[in-house]
Amino acid sequence: MRRLVVVDANRCVGCNLCVYACTNRFGFVGVSKSAIAVRSAGGVERGFTVIVCRACKDPPCARACPVDALALRSGGGVVLNPNKCIGCGFCVSACDIGAVMWDHESMKPVICTHCGYCVSFCPHGVIALEEVV
């Protein structure tokens, strides 16, 4: 089992190629359906913060879901069952690092599947897939 990790956030230049790649993997254009986010930490001088699911062993997002729409993923993190999801947003509020994104069109969460598609688009080696032991 693999999970996405931030190798070195100091290398991030805020290009958002990982964000666009994530959205594109699911057949969309733009950033609204991405499970990864890049935020400025205060301009180019201060760098950027890469926000992605850290594959918690006991994920607060799953505990907060009143309808069990988030199932535990082998190796950590969760998998969303969109048919069960009622769009309450509790999972977004429960995530300590803000890694549960929100799709305003479907009114459902967007959560990283740890597929690694975004990794090959990062020109600076900021993110990588690692094996979960």
Side-chain angles (χ1 to χ4, degrees), residues 4 9-10 35 43 50 52-53 61 66 68 81 85-86 88-89 101 105 108-109 119-120 122 131:
L4 189 64
N10 292 325
V50 181
V52 66
C53 175
C61 58
D68 294 324
N81 179 340
C85 179
I86 59 173
C88 67
M101 308 305 168
E105 187 178 334
K108 296 190 190 262
V119 171
S120 62
C122 180
E131 288 296 320

Side-chain angles (χ1 to χ4, degrees), residues 21-47:
C22 181
T23 298
N24 183 261
R25 177 181 179 267
F26 297 104
F28 298 100
V29 177
V31 299
S32 65
K33 297 183 187 298
S34 178
I36 188 171
V38 176
R39 303 232 165 76
S40 172
V44 176
E45 296 84 17
R46 295 203 151 186

Side-chain angles (χ1 to χ4, degrees), residues 19-130:
V19 176
Y20 289 110
C22 181
T23 298
N24 183 261
R25 177 181 179 267
F26 297 104
F28 298 100
V29 177
V31 299
S32 65
K33 297 183 187 298
S34 178
I36 188 171
V38 176
R39 303 232 165 76
S40 172
V44 176
E45 296 84 17
R46 295 203 151 186
F48 298 89
T49 302
V50 181
I51 302 167
V52 66
C53 175
R54 300 292 197 259
C56 302
K57 295 289 181 196
D58 182 24
C61 58
R63 288 194 315 267
C65 182
V67 294
D68 294 324
L70 297 172
L72 295 179
R73 178 182 167 270
S74 174
V78 296
V79 176
L80 172 69
N81 179 340
N83 296 324
K84 281 185 168 183
C85 179
I86 59 173
C88 67
F90 292 166
C91 54
V92 175
S93 302
C95 181
D96 298 332
I97 61 169
V100 178
M101 308 305 168
W102 191 254
D103 180 351
H104 292 281
E105 187 178 334
S106 70
M107 297 304 288
K108 296 190 190 262
V110 180
I111 299 175
C112 182
T113 61
H114 299 274
C115 70
Y117 187 75
C118 56
V119 171
S120 62
F121 287 87
C122 180
H124 302 289
V126 175
I127 51 180
L129 275 180
E130 75 174 12

